[in-house]
Amino acid sequence: MDAFLAIVSKRDTRRYADRPVPEDVQQRILEAGRVAGSARNRQPWRFLVVESDGPRGELAESVYEGDNVRGAKLVIAIVSSSGMDAGRCLQNMMLAAWNDGVASCPNGLADADRARSALGLGEDDQIANVLTFGYPANGRTGESRPVEEWIARADRKPLDELVERI
């Protein structure tokens, strides 16, 4: 998929098809996060792939929309103390996934302490986000519409309201 098409067509998806994410696609998603840029190349993150039912169920109870975690075919918690760097990392992961037809959704933490406990982390560890992945239940792909239509359908402020030239 063209990079710009991947960017404009990527939508957060909360309902996933009952289809596993293949290991090679999981690897590409993780690699995309690993190679994200970070300030002074510190790479201040770890990726926890949550596969076990116990931690996954407990983690589902700690995010705002637990069904995202329960229904996902791949769950990755990003442990990082750097907000901007973690944001670059998670965006890379979501775009790499979408390039392979895998949808995603970032999940904020309603209860950070419970999430740390579910993942066996210490109180000093910070979870930047919990990403959920899976093939979209509606079968939608980035290629299902042209770029211009994705942009027109986006519920975003018009560009001329956001851009100032000084």
Side-chain angles (χ1 to χ4, degrees):
M1 178 184 316
D2 170 76
F4 190 64
L5 177 59
I7 292 165
V8 300
S9 67
K10 196 284 185 213
R11 300 290 186 268
D12 293 342
T13 302
R14 294 168 182 86
R15 289 186 47 242
Y16 303 109
D18 189 21
R19 175 181 167 200
V21 176
E23 193 61 41
D24 64 319
V25 175
Q26 290 184 37
Q27 188 69 25
R28 286 168 49 92
I29 292 167
L30 292 163
E31 284 287 358
R34 184 182 73 84
V35 300
S38 62
R40 297 173 51 198
N41 198 28
R42 289 177 302 165
Q43 304 166 52
W45 46 62
R46 290 187 299 147
F47 310 136
L48 303 179
V49 179
V50 186
E51 297 174 326
S52 302
D53 290 341
R56 184 184 278 228
E58 191 67 21
L59 187 61
E61 298 300 320
S62 71
V63 300
Y64 288 106
E65 294 294 331
D67 286 343
N68 294 350
V69 173
R70 284 186 280 276
K73 299 306 171 191
L74 172 64
V75 177
I76 302 172
I78 300 175
V79 180
S80 176
S81 59
S82 175
M84 185 177 85
D85 290 335
R88 294 169 74 185
C89 174
L90 70 93
Q91 189 73 7
N92 269 16
M93 293 172 125
M94 291 188 300
L95 288 172
W98 189 230
N99 183 65
D100 285 327
V102 175
S104 60
C105 187
N107 295 269
L109 298 174
D111 188 340
D113 291 334
R114 188 171 187 174
R116 277 193 296 276
S117 175
L119 299 173
L121 299 172
E123 65 181 48
D124 291 337
D125 290 313
Q126 295 178 23
I127 301 169
N129 208 282
V130 175
L131 296 175
T132 54
F133 298 91
Y135 290 95
N138 65 9
R140 177 177 53 87
T141 67
E143 291 92 352
S144 62
R145 297 185 177 106
V147 165
E148 297 77 18
E149 189 174 336
W150 282 112
I151 291 172
R153 294 171 62 102
D155 184 19
R156 303 293 188 271
K157 292 179 181 178
L159 194 56
D160 61 356
E161 287 183 25
L162 302 174
V163 176
E164 265 184 73
R165 299 187 188 271
I166 57 173

